[in-house]
Amino acid sequence: SAAEHLRQGLDRAQAEARSASEDSSAAVQALRTKVGAFERELGKTKSLLAQKELQLSTMSADNLQKLEAERDELSATVAGLRDQLEEARSAAQVREASLAEAAAQATQRADELEQKL
């Protein structure tokens, strides 16, 4: 009957609404958990920042210059290592190409000898 058909439609709509509400609640809870994790991380980071600011405020000019010199030295070392890495990569590519060419020539020579036999 029409009333039964409407009742079934209402039951389906209510079930879909409950399901959507449960999904929404789960999504909200997941977001709250994520926000909580970010808040904890932010708190830790703020605390660390405060510690570093305190260290900087109590650091002598000599120590600060020493740290800056160490940083500059490390930066120069990194730049030098980058250059060495690029040189090594380039040399490896040249060597690889050379070996590939030698292998191709050896294969060709073997093929030629095989044909002569």
Side-chain angles (χ1 to χ4, degrees):
S1 73
E4 182 64 28
H5 184 68
L6 287 174
R7 168 57 71 193
Q8 290 174 352
L10 176 61
D11 289 346
R12 277 194 305 275
Q14 287 174 336
E16 288 173 12
R18 275 193 303 275
S19 177
S21 176
E22 289 167 3
D23 291 348
S24 175
S25 294
V28 167
Q29 186 57 43
L31 286 172
R32 285 185 181 145
T33 300
K34 198 172 193 177
V35 166
F38 280 129
E39 287 171 342
R40 286 189 298 280
E41 188 66 27
L42 179 60
K44 289 181 200 172
T45 303
K46 283 182 176 179
S47 175
L48 184 60
L49 178 59
Q51 290 174 4
K52 296 297 180 186
E53 287 174 342
L54 180 61
Q55 288 174 351
L56 280 173
S57 70
T58 60
M59 188 174 284
S60 71
D62 287 345
N63 283 344
L64 193 54
Q65 285 179 338
K66 184 178 174 186
L67 280 177
E68 288 173 344
E70 289 174 7
R71 180 202 59 205
D72 293 346
E73 186 178 322
L74 287 171
S75 292
T77 300
V78 166
L81 288 171
R82 270 197 204 115
D83 291 345
Q84 290 176 0
L85 176 60
E86 285 306 311
E87 288 174 14
R89 282 183 177 153
S90 179
Q93 288 172 343
V94 168
R95 181 73 175 136
E96 188 178 7
S98 172
L99 289 173
E101 177 62 24
Q105 288 176 357
T107 301
Q108 183 179 357
R109 181 75 178 131
D111 289 346
E112 290 169 359
L113 291 173
E114 191 175 348
Q115 287 175 359
K116 290 181 180 176
L117 294 176

